[in-house]
Amino acid sequence: MPPPPLPLGRGRKRAAQAFDAALDDAELRDARTALTQGRWQAARALLAHTGDDWDRRGHRVVVLAEEPYSAAWTRDWLLAEPDSADAAVLLALALVHRALRGKEKPDRAREACRTAAALAPADPTPWLGLLLLERTLGGEEDVVRLFDEVRHRYADHHHAHHLVVARLAERRADTGPDPLHEVYDFAGWAAEQAPADSPLAMLPVVAHAERYRVLAAAGFEPAEPARSEHWSGRRARLVMKAAFDWWLEWEHDGHPRRLVDLNFLAHAKVCEGRGAEAAALFHRIGEHATPAPWSYPDRDPYTAFRAARAAALGAA
């Protein structure tokens, strides 16, 4: 989701650069630029090269599919190669994004995802598309069923776990803080069952931020996260320490969505008041900010990120 409008001029341009969904994937950026110009061959080559690196494939397809004209140009690709599973999945996720923006009927997006799934039965990406759609439009049974479909194909799927955590965090929004909320149990379980070097080790931090988003929106926590005691309880401290220690030992420079995790962890360390640790994370993030969680609960993410980074680096 793009950040909210900012003042005209250089600030808006810099914000757009800061929130590039491609993160640090230069090949993806190049293919996306070509696709916006109608040159779908670059996307074709990119996805063929990606192969069955499922986290990377999901990331790349989602980012390409977000482009406004992705569906139109991908239909041209399908005309040239009607049996292309890569073209089918890109069209499916493009229709999912259009449906979420209210510009496409959800049933057409669902049908396209099922068509793509039939062409590539082992690929979790069409099911990720359905999960993206039903995380917003569907019921809990739909979300659980689709998450199981993704995990059946790739048990440690990064994006799918993030989507489920965000949805689970919204359960019982009106009951206030609860250290035993199911989102914490789910995130802890996912982190424990994953391999030791899996970035799902960061999921408990994501769960903590997503629950803060829900509690703050409901009025149970301050709108300024650094003023909230949500980050200072015993559970929170243990979660943040475990995640930071994991990052120090296992940091994955090559994971396509690692910068999403680093933004969540940096945000948590800022809220926890651990400026030196936050500074180390900001150095790794560079300019690759992500709207979530800096926008939580209802803030300008660009301003929040820049202020937090300046404070942490200045203190360091």
Side-chain angles (χ1 to χ4, degrees), residues 68 95 97-106 108:
L95 295 181
H97 283 296
R98 286 180 58 81
L100 291 172
R101 293 194 294 264
K103 296 183 178 181
E104 184 63 77
K105 292 181 179 179
R108 290 190 63 186

Side-chain angles (χ1 to χ4, degrees), residues 106-116 130:
D107 281 345
R108 290 190 63 186
R110 294 182 182 106
E111 181 181 356
C113 287
R114 295 188 188 102
T115 298
L130 285 167

